[in-house]
Amino acid sequence: MIDTDEFYRRSCELGFVKLEAVARNIVWTAHTDWGDLEITINLSKPEKDPRTIAEEAARKASGKVDYVDPATGAVRPCPLCVTEKDVERGYARRISLQGENWGLWYSPYVYYEEHCIAMSWEHRPMHIDRAAFECLFDIVGQLPQYFFGSNADLPLVGGSILAHDHFQGGKHVFPMQKADICEAFELRGFPEVEAGVVKWPMSVIRLSGEDRAKLVDAACAVLDVWRKHDEPSIGICAETDGVRHNTITPILMKDGNRYQLDLALRCNMTSPEHPWGLFHPHERYHHIKKENIGLIEVMGLAILPPRVQQVMEDQGLSREEVGRLFGEILECAGVFKWDEEGRSALQRFLAKL
Ligand SMILES: [Zn+2]
């Protein structure tokens, strides 16, 4: 087990974690039908240093498209390309996942307790597959005090950085992880794995048990079936013109000897009416949330843009109402809705497992 207390303390002391900036965020919990959802209005994004802007302009003019880390000023090929220099400076460390070199650091603008990021040393695309599940179990095995999860590996339903393989973790138990199972089911071939549907606005299958190898196999089985699953009546198509649309946002935590692996089913189909995605915040919610529903939001923590403060004032929205709207936004991202049509479609999917 890796001791993270000292590493986190040092990352804060070095100013890599911007605690002062984060303290400006507006944070509350809202009681909803889906449990207590967590809301953050993100006011911690820094004003850009004029020097950074000048440097960026110069590099753009020279044709280079490197990324300048707003926290450290370090120049990287992409925001997640970690280097030996980062380790020397003390805010990154090496870890080993599946026998490979990975980096670990804390997110400069922590959205929750000890929000950290593990990134492959090599710059390569994200992928949700057996290797990703194995890595998740490796990292939670080494850092059982933290959950770890991954964004989905497709545009529209993934995070903002698909080009670099990474996971996010931290010392926080999210609303989704606390949500109950509303329906247990038998996963064929895996009697040692408990499987169930989570009572959650999005469509989440929970696998739990103590046997890591069986859980990885079970997760692969769910992913394989979901990747090929079609449900045209509700807009789910596994593939169009050879392009895949179905994937998973996985989240793993460990409690004693027991693992809890949540698999949020995602589909990035679009339509002329919903060019941003059928399972994306609908237009009537865009004043609150327009961006992709990524890993952190899937789990029930909304990261909302600064303008929401003004929207709340203009429309007289209470904090509870924003929480309720966030629940509805998550329902938009759910592939199997909580109406009769959605529930019977879910049963057809479960029957294949
Ligand atoms: Zn990179």
Side-chain angles (χ1 to χ4, degrees), residues 170-185:
K171 201 181 254 181
H172 191 65
V173 180
F174 286 84
M176 181 194 75
Q177 295 174 297
K178 295 182 214 163
D180 293 329
I181 293 291
C182 62
E183 180 185 351
F185 64 91

Side-chain angles (χ1 to χ4, degrees), residues 143-282:
L143 296 155
Q145 67 272 41
Y146 289 172
F147 84 90
F148 273 89
S150 175
N151 260 306
D153 56 349
L154 294 178
L156 304 186
V157 294
S160 53
I161 306 173
L162 291 170
H164 198 126
D165 204 0
H166 70 285
F167 300 102
Q168 297 184 68
K171 201 181 254 181
H172 191 65
V173 180
F174 286 84
M176 181 194 75
Q177 295 174 297
K178 295 182 214 163
D180 293 329
I181 293 291
C182 62
E183 180 185 351
F185 64 91
E186 299 244 336
L187 197 57
R188 255 195 310 279
F190 299 97
E192 50 291 276
V193 172
E194 277 178 41
V197 177
V198 181
K199 183 177 180 282
W200 191 245
M202 293 183 65
S203 308
V204 181
I205 303 294
R206 177 170 296 160
L207 306 178
S208 36
E210 295 188 3
D211 189 328
R212 166 182 168 155
K214 296 286 182 197
L215 284 163
V216 169
D217 286 346
C220 290
V222 173
L223 178 64
D224 285 347
V225 173
W226 174 242
R227 280 250 158 92
K228 294 180 197 126
H229 189 70
D230 280 307
E231 194 71 59
S233 67
I234 52 170
I236 297 169
C237 293
E239 235 182 83
T240 54
D241 300 324
V243 178
R244 285 198 290 117
H245 296 294
N246 292 356
T247 188
I248 276 176
T249 302
I251 300 103
L252 180 66
M253 64 181 248
K254 200 175 183 191
D255 185 7
N257 290 327
R258 213 175 152 72
Y259 295 99
Q260 174 176 305
L261 177 61
D262 286 332
L263 305 172
L265 307 176
R266 312 300 302 271
C267 175
N268 76 353
M269 280 294 288
T270 57
S271 72
E273 310 91 276
H274 299 293
W276 295 104
L278 286 175
F279 307 101
H280 183 86
H282 290 166

